Amino acid sequence: MDLSSSGPLVLETLTNACCQNADVLKPAERQLQQWETQPGFYTILSEIFSNHNISINVRWLAVLYCKNGVERYWRKTAPNAMSEDEKERLKSKLISNFSEPVPQIATQLAVLISKIARLDCPRNWNSLLPALFQAVRCEDLLIQERALLILHHVTKTLASKRLPPDRKLFEELTGEIFGFVYGLWIRDLDLFAELSQVHSDEMGPAMDRANLSCKIIRKQIVYGTKDPSTNQDMSSFLNQIFVRLKQVLGFRQSMWGNHQVLEKCQKMILLITKILLDLLDIHPISFIQLIRPTLEFVVTYNFSMSEKGLLFERFTVNCFNLMKGILSSDVYRPMKSPEQTDAVKMAAYKIKMDFFHYGTLREICRRLISQYFLLTSEDLSHWDADPEGFCLEEGGDSYKYSLRPSSEVLYLTLFKEFRASLSPVVLELVQAVQAPCDPEDMIGILSKDAVYNAVGLSAFDLFDDVDFDKWFSSELLQELNIKHQNYRIIHRRIIWLCAHWVGVKMSFSLRPTLYQAIISLLNQSEDLVVRIESAMTLKTAVDDFEFSVEQFLPYLDSMFSLLFDLLKEVQECDTKMQVLHVISFLIERTGGQIKPYASSLLQYLQILWQEAQEHNMLKCAILTTLVHLVKGFGSTCTTVYEFLLPVIQISTDVTQDQHVYLAEDGLDLWLETVKNSPAPNDNLLQLYRNMPGLLEMGTENLRTCLKIIEAYLLLCPQQFMHHFCNSLASSLHGLMKDIREDGQILILRVVEVALKLFPKEGPDIFLTMFVSIVDSILKDKNQSMLVSMNLTLFGRIVLQNQEFMWKLLQQMAPQYQEEVNTLFGALLDIWFDNMDYITQPERRKLSALALASLLSVNSSLVDEKFAGIVTLCVGVLHDVTRIPVDDDPLLQLDSLVISDTDQGTETEEEEVEHEKRKHQLSKQDPVHTVPLKDFLISQLHLCKEQRGEKFDLLMNQVDPEIVQQLTAFTR
């Protein structure tokens, strides 16, 4: 690209790309995209964004295109990589001027420079840092601030690199510049202190520069050294950190009315506390010197009245997390064996324990509960304005950013560390709020709510100290009967409290009382927040180990109706999902008992499915509910096919974008539907057309897909194989090529089911796969589960379709340049060697039956392997033969043979249709219908008839002890 002639054209195109008219915008974007790989394009862009006379929007767009180009074409190995000359021109341009007046463009330039620095600094761009150092010393405040901004982004980028050489480079860089940046920080803070005396307009820029310096310090002190305490400048910083933190807190207090500067002071306060948090996390040993001052600082500023005016939420959150981090750090906790604990850990532990004496613990605990656990006026306004949003639980890492979660996590950490000291404090508070309070006394209600919150959070730790049964029966239930608008706060907290204690210490006999309480609070006359909380408590109670369906049944009708009303009433997608999960859980735990109440729910789910077109997570919740409903319906699920089948169809259709979200739950629903269907159904069968696409997508849902195929084979074997046998064989064979061994075994189990159902036709359908199976047996020298599975399938063919076996071996013999008998002999040898690795009794017996079936084959190969076959068969006979209790020892039975009188573990009515079909198939399988002893004797008789006198010679080859054991079986 000619730089002299193309500059105006590029400028015009960038201008058009900023236009709101699509007819002008689109061609400009296409043209810029074409120029991305043209030499000289980025040099022209640098000229444009450096020209302050050009429109801000055009310059901003030029920086963005340049930044994107660096990401794509800067590396030497990238396709269409930038030339070294153009790179040098761009780097030179970027550090020639630090006076960008527009903050947004300055930020983009800083990010652009940091991206280049990540790849080139310091080896291929050694002029960057000196240029930045010179600029931050400049008397022009704008140049100073822009240079610091760039230095911050460069430092942030280099600190993020984790390879050892990169870390070493960053440590070297830190050693060179930390003292300088630290000096800048002190200079700007002191300047701010002077300027604040006269409320100069330059206060803001001074604090901005101090904030940028502090951001650089944060990355360097955490990632730029292995031990900050060994660096003189860093030690000086750590010694000054609380002095400066208190200083900036004072600045903030003096800035009331100047909102902009106050915010800048808050940024500095948070930055310093984040440095402390990072040091505690990354350099806990270096932090030991700061344990005592940190704890004193946190208590002074957060648990005393003297400094209350200095608090703001994010500062308090960081302070709480500092205390929590010190308490929970394993570095500051001795080993179980004191002699194994090093001196450093013991010193840290002693500092911590010396600080937390009873008086301090008592004050912290009381203030956490009475001050930080209280619902605020903002909380109550949120409750009234958006009750569903109020109910959304804060979890995960929310304690790092939000005040209430951080105070609760600190309380729990303290309680676990100092349970003996804090239990009496909490019990005192409980005693103080025991009696019902005046509903008009909002302070009393909020205090009671906070104390109940503490008792719920520490339920496990208060197990021995609180008689929850007595408290619940004598007092909490009375408070649930107080009907007043303000008492909704207590109602919500009591039912929440029950959820925390029900699995800890609530008597089984009190469960009905709890269910009755939940029913009363789920009533439509109650506050919506209370109703949602009650639903969540119900889920916890039903999920408990001691839950009894029989005990719950009298309340099922009311519970289900009230939950259903709540589900229809709530509006938010997240809340509907929450309530749906409670209903799903209820259906799962009560099973078939739900049938009388399910029709109205199903009707509503159909409406909800239509309304949830843009809410895939809500659709997932609906699918989960349907899974449990189908299980509850059992064989009567056919009555809801009209809704179920289209839902399964759209959820598992890989041509629909939403399948990414719905496929997993959709497959679960599909599986349960097929398993519970009592008879074949054409519409259900046609759903299988979605399966090849799902199988092509890989192994994420392979296990469920294969279970569905197996369920189809058992439900409608003839129809299924008639329509889909070729597709099935092709899909399964394709999957076998690039999949781990455990996945291959799952696939082969499906093939095994097909062979059980179609012993004559099945092998021909899977011919290609059987070629691969035999090939694998011959080539795989390892004893593994896969080899055992392959031999099992081969054994089933030997037993049930020897005609196909010989045809298969004849087809494969030329490939191995061997005679058929030689090839079969090799297979038999491998089979003998691997017999000990076929551990499942059914598969061992199948192998024995298959080998025994060869005894009637008049072949020299069988004669050669005769002794091995008999020996293996006798060995398996020992495994499967049992003597009935109290019966004649001579009456020996095959333990795997299923008689007509055998009963399953469940009654016919309770058994899932799928299990009935599996049981029926087992009753047709030779493994479960043919006694091995009888079959072996029969085959030996046939062999004797065929061989005549030669049979005795064959028997002489067998070990005499084996012959003796065989004789014992044949008495």
Side-chain angles (χ1 to χ4, degrees):
M1 181 176 278
D2 187 343
L3 301 185
S4 58
S5 60
S6 300
L9 181 59
V10 174
L11 178 59
E12 181 185 355
T13 308
L14 282 168
T15 305
N16 291 340
C18 295
C19 180
Q20 298 299 313
N21 186 340
D23 294 336
V24 178
L25 171 67
K26 295 296 182 185
E29 286 182 339
R30 285 195 294 270
Q31 181 61 69
L32 289 167
Q33 193 173 6
Q34 291 174 8
W35 282 337
E36 282 182 0
T37 56
Q38 292 294 312
F41 176 59
Y42 298 99
T43 304
I44 295 172
L45 289 178
S46 69
E47 294 292 339
I48 292 171
F49 65 63
S50 299
N51 187 340
H52 299 170
N53 296 319
I54 295 173
S55 163
I56 292 173
N57 288 339
V58 173
R59 293 173 56 225
W60 186 76
L61 191 60
V63 177
L64 285 184
Y65 268 95
C66 197
K67 185 177 72 173
N68 293 337
V70 166
E71 287 183 345
R72 293 173 187 165
Y73 309 116
W74 193 270
R75 295 181 187 273
K76 293 177 182 178
T77 55
N80 304 303
M82 284 188 212
S83 68
E84 292 302 315
D85 287 344
E86 183 160 18
K87 288 181 185 179
E88 290 302 321
R89 286 197 296 271
L90 184 55
K91 287 191 284 192
S92 177
K93 191 73 176 177
L94 287 169
I95 60 173
S96 63
N97 189 348
F98 296 116
S99 57
E100 173 55 55
V102 182
Q104 294 90 335
I105 296 176
T107 300
Q108 292 299 328
L109 282 170
V111 173
L112 169 59
I113 291 170
S114 72
K115 287 185 178 296
I116 298 173
R118 182 179 181 86
L119 300 170
D120 281 16
C121 188
R123 291 192 181 91
N124 297 322
W125 199 6
N126 53 20
S127 58
L128 172 62
L129 295 176
L132 289 174
F133 296 160
Q134 183 179 351
V136 294
R137 290 187 178 96
C138 177
E139 293 184 4
D140 188 316
L141 295 180
L142 177 63
I143 292 175
Q144 270 190 35
E145 191 168 329
R146 295 298 184 249
L148 272 173
L149 177 65
I150 294 167
L151 186 58
H152 157 56
H153 280 281
V154 170
T155 303
K156 183 179 175 182
T157 298
L158 296 180
S160 68
K161 300 173 79 173
R162 291 289 177 264
L163 292 176
D166 296 322
R167 295 187 72 164
K168 186 178 180 184
L169 279 173
F170 188 66
E171 288 173 11
E172 291 172 359
L173 169 67
T174 299
E176 290 176 17
I177 70 171
F178 183 85
F180 173 70
V181 177
Y182 174 46
L184 293 178
W185 183 62
I186 296 295
R187 181 200 68 183
D188 286 316
L189 282 181
D190 290 344
L191 177 61
F192 181 90
E194 292 176 21
L195 296 171
S196 66
Q197 298 297 321
V198 294
H199 287 270
S200 167
D201 291 340
E202 294 302 317
M203 286 188 301
M207 187 56 76
D208 283 337
R209 292 192 299 275
N211 275 321
L212 286 170
S213 300
C214 197
K215 287 177 180 179
I216 297 167
I217 288 170
R218 180 187 176 193
K219 292 298 180 185
Q220 292 189 341
I221 202 168
V222 174
Y223 299 108
T225 179
K226 291 181 175 64
D227 183 1
S229 61
T230 60
N231 180 296
Q232 186 176 348
D233 290 318
M234 289 183 182
S235 291
S236 175
F237 171 80
L238 295 178
N239 290 332
Q240 286 277 306
I241 195 165
F242 285 106
V243 175
R244 293 295 178 174
L245 183 51
K246 291 172 184 176
Q247 180 187 27
V248 183
L249 281 164
F251 292 160
R252 176 183 177 273
Q253 191 174 34
S254 66
M255 288 296 134
W256 291 113
N258 191 336
H259 186 69
Q260 282 189 331
V261 177
L262 184 142
E263 277 195 352
K264 295 176 193 293
C265 291
Q266 288 188 175
K267 281 184 180 178
M268 175 60 71
I269 293 164
L270 293 177
L271 267 172
I272 298 174
T273 54
K274 285 176 182 176
I275 291 173
L276 288 167
L277 285 165
D278 288 345
L279 280 168
L280 176 58
D281 183 39
I282 308 295
H283 299 290
I285 300 299
S286 297
F287 192 86
I288 289 174
Q289 61 180 306
L290 299 173
I291 291 176
R292 181 88 191 189
T294 299
L295 292 173
E296 288 174 348
F297 177 85
V298 171
V299 170
T300 300
Y301 282 85
N302 297 277
F303 298 109
S304 68
M305 297 303 294
S306 59
E307 307 292 353
K308 192 171 181 182
L310 300 178
L311 299 180
F312 60 99
E313 184 169 316
R314 284 302 302 276
F315 167 68
T316 302
V317 169
N318 285 358
C319 285
F320 285 0
N321 286 329
L322 276 168
M323 183 175 279
K324 178 248 176 197
I326 291 169
L327 284 166
S328 57
S329 174
D330 289 333
V331 178
Y332 308 148
R333 185 177 286 120
M335 308 284 283
K336 289 183 179 179
S337 175
E339 60 271 11
Q340 292 180 342
T341 305
D342 59 47
V344 174
K345 279 191 175 184
M346 282 306 299
Y349 179 70
K350 188 173 186 307
I351 294 170
K352 180 175 73 171
M353 299 309 288
D354 286 348
F355 178 81
F356 285 109
H357 54 77
Y358 178 72
T360 301
L361 284 169
R362 178 186 174 85
E363 188 62 22
I364 292 173
C365 183
R366 291 182 71 90
R367 284 194 178 275
L368 274 173
I369 296 171
S370 62
Q371 182 177 333
Y372 294 103
F373 278 17
L374 291 180
L375 291 174
T376 64
S377 56
E378 290 82 5
D379 292 327
L380 296 176
S381 298
H382 187 199
W383 182 322
D384 291 328
D386 181 16
E388 293 182 43
F390 180 86
C391 288
L392 290 177
E393 293 183 1
E394 292 183 285
D397 288 343
S398 60
Y399 73 91
K400 294 180 180 178
Y401 316 105
S402 301
L403 182 57
R404 191 175 314 286
S406 70
S407 61
E408 290 176 351
V409 168
L410 176 58
Y411 168 80
L412 282 171
T413 307
L414 280 162
F415 218 98
K416 290 189 183 304
E417 196 81 7
F418 304 104
R419 190 186 72 81
S421 297
L422 294 180
S423 292
V425 179
V426 175
L427 294 175
E428 276 179 34
L429 292 171
V430 173
Q431 197 64 39
V433 298
Q434 196 92 1
C437 62
D438 180 359
E440 300 294 340
D441 179 10
M442 185 56 77
I443 297 299
I445 285 176
L446 293 178
S447 298
K448 182 188 284 280
D449 175 76
V451 174
Y452 285 5
N453 184 18
V455 177
L457 290 172
S458 50
F460 283 99
D461 296 297
L462 290 171
F463 181 90
D464 294 323
D465 302 304
V466 173
D467 184 349
F468 190 78
D469 285 356
K470 182 180 177 182
W471 189 26
F472 177 66
S473 303
S474 60
E475 296 181 32
L476 297 181
L477 283 175
Q478 292 179 28
E479 293 194 276
L480 289 179
N481 293 324
I482 298 174
K483 304 299 180 185
H484 188 282
Q485 173 68 5
N486 290 343
Y487 237 80
R488 61 185 176 152
I489 296 169
I490 303 302
H491 289 178
R492 168 197 172 243
R493 184 59 69 187
I494 288 174
I495 207 64
W496 171 91
L497 187 63
C498 290
H500 283 69
W501 276 87
V502 70
V504 176
K505 195 178 181 182
M506 179 183 271
S507 297
F508 180 76
S509 59
L510 273 181
R511 299 302 172 90
T513 310
L514 174 61
Y515 299 146
Q516 193 60 57
I518 292 172
I519 286 173
S520 67
L521 294 178
L522 278 172
N523 197 286
Q524 285 181 302
S525 62
E526 276 289 350
D527 180 87
L528 185 58
V529 170
V530 177
R531 293 168 66 196
I532 294 171
E533 196 65 64
S534 300
M536 298 302 108
T537 298
L538 174 61
K539 181 180 182 297
T540 306
V542 170
D543 192 22
D544 186 57
F545 178 74
E546 290 190 344
F547 174 75
S548 164
V549 176
E550 291 73 21
Q551 191 185 47
F552 183 76
L553 283 180
Y555 310 95
L556 179 59
D557 189 1
S558 300
M559 288 287 193
F560 199 87
S561 300
L562 291 167
L563 285 171
F564 184 47
D565 290 339
L566 179 60
L567 177 63
K568 289 191 289 185
E569 187 173 334
V570 294
Q571 300 298 317
E572 295 295 326
C573 177
D574 287 340
T575 319
K576 284 187 179 293
M577 285 170 58
Q578 277 187 321
V579 180
L580 259 180
H581 281 308
V582 178
I583 291 174
S584 294
F585 213 79
L586 202 57
I587 295 168
E588 183 181 6
R589 295 308 299 267
T590 55
Q593 304 289 344
I594 209 71
K595 288 181 186 178
Y597 319 104
S599 58
S600 56
L601 175 62
L602 273 165
Q603 290 174 9
Y604 178 69
L605 289 179
Q606 294 181 54
I607 299 168
L608 191 60
W609 181 267
Q610 297 303 321
E611 292 176 351
Q613 289 304 317
E614 303 303 319
H615 301 286
N616 288 312
M617 297 313 293
L618 178 54
K619 284 188 169 183
C620 289
I622 295 171
L623 288 169
T624 302
T625 306
L626 288 172
V627 169
H628 296 309
L629 273 174
V630 169
K631 288 180 179 178
F633 272 105
S635 59
T636 61
C637 67
T638 52
T639 57
V640 291
Y641 271 3
E642 189 176 347
F643 174 42
L644 275 185
L645 301 189
V647 166
I648 296 169
Q649 157 65 33
I650 199 165
S651 301
T652 58
D653 184 355
V654 296
T655 65
Q656 302 284 333
D657 291 341
Q658 57 192 323
H659 89 274
V660 175
Y661 307 98
L662 306 181
E664 185 175 350
D665 295 303
L667 284 167
D668 288 339
L669 178 59
W670 190 357
L671 175 61
E672 288 304 323
T673 303
V674 180
K675 285 171 71 172
N676 284 278
S677 294
N681 178 280
D682 286 342
N683 293 329
L684 179 61
L685 182 62
Q686 293 309 313
L687 283 179
Y688 187 79
R689 299 189 183 280
N690 282 358
M691 186 59 73
L694 289 161
L695 293 174
E696 284 176 14
M697 292 188 64
T699 59
E700 185 176 347
N701 294 302
L702 177 63
R703 188 179 295 272
T704 311
C705 288
L706 294 175
K707 286 181 179 179
I708 291 170
I709 294 170
E710 180 183 324
Y712 269 119
L713 281 166
L714 293 171
L715 172 66
C716 47
Q718 300 293 341
Q719 300 97 313
F720 180 73
M721 293 300 276
H722 174 73
H723 286 95
F724 302 113
C725 63
N726 293 331
S727 169
L728 175 64
S730 174
S731 295
L732 296 185
H733 186 251
L735 279 170
M736 290 289 287
K737 294 173 184 174
D738 300 305
I739 195 171
R740 294 187 315 185
E741 182 176 297
D742 52 349
Q744 293 184 47
I745 291 170
L746 291 175
I747 294 167
L748 294 176
R749 284 176 183 163
V750 174
V751 177
E752 183 179 32
V753 173
L755 291 182
K756 288 179 182 180
L757 288 161
F758 300 99
K760 298 301 180 188
E761 305 92 334
D764 284 308
I765 293 169
F766 296 102
L767 174 62
T768 308
M769 186 173 286
F770 273 111
V771 170
S772 300
I773 286 171
V774 172
D775 200 43
S776 175
I777 294 171
L778 291 167
K779 291 180 178 177
D780 193 346
K781 302 302 180 186
N782 298 318
Q783 279 91 12
S784 66
M785 287 182 64
L786 180 59
V787 174
S788 301
M789 189 68 202
N790 285 332
L791 287 169
T792 299
L793 291 177
F794 183 70
R796 193 165 285 278
I797 292 174
V798 171
L799 177 62
Q800 296 182 290
N801 197 338
Q802 288 188 8
E803 182 183 344
F804 174 82
M805 178 195 73
W806 295 115
K807 182 176 74 172
L808 175 65
L809 294 177
Q810 284 169 359
Q811 179 178 323
M812 296 187 68
Q815 171 187 335
Y816 283 89
Q817 298 179 347
E818 297 283 0
E819 294 292 330
V820 171
N821 270 2
T822 307
L823 193 61
F824 190 35
L827 284 168
L828 289 176
D829 288 338
I830 295 169
W831 203 344
F832 293 167
D833 291 342
N834 281 270
M835 196 64 185
D836 287 341
Y837 296 93
I838 303 174
T839 54
Q840 194 175 347
E842 288 85 352
R843 301 194 195 286
R844 287 181 63 78
K845 180 179 174 182
L846 177 72
S847 289
L849 289 170
L851 290 168
S853 72
L854 294 174
L855 294 175
S856 60
V857 177
N858 198 354
S859 162
S860 60
L861 176 64
V862 174
D863 293 349
E864 181 185 331
K865 306 295 182 183
F866 182 88
I869 292 172
V870 173
T871 301
L872 286 174
C873 289
V874 171
V876 176
L877 264 176
H878 283 291
D879 297 336
V880 302
T881 302
R882 63 183 171 86
I883 300 173
V885 179
D886 299 329
D887 273 341
D888 186 344
L890 297 178
L891 181 58
Q892 299 167 332
L893 300 177
D894 191 320
S895 62
L896 295 179
V897 171
I898 301 173
S899 67
D900 291 336
T901 58
D902 283 348
Q903 295 295 320
T905 56
E906 301 176 79
T907 66
E908 285 292 308
E909 291 74 19
E910 293 174 339
E911 203 171 23
V912 176
E913 294 292 330
H914 180 71
E915 297 304 319
K916 294 180 189 176
R917 292 190 279 265
K918 282 174 69 175
H919 187 68
Q920 197 60 40
L921 179 60
S922 294
K923 289 167 73 173
Q924 302 167 16
D925 187 353
V927 172
H928 299 295
T929 57
V930 177
L932 176 58
K933 181 186 74 171
D934 297 348
F935 185 70
L936 177 59
I937 293 169
S938 169
Q939 288 297 104
L940 286 170
H941 281 308
L942 283 172
C943 182
K944 186 174 184 179
E945 290 174 8
Q946 289 173 351
R947 272 48 166 212
E949 294 179 1
K950 187 179 180 183
F951 178 76
D952 292 331
L953 295 175
L954 294 174
M955 286 300 294
N956 287 334
Q957 297 173 15
V958 182
D959 187 304
E961 188 176 338
I962 299 297
V963 174
Q964 186 179 351
Q965 293 173 21
L966 177 61
T967 305
F969 279 114
T970 57
R971 286 175 186 163

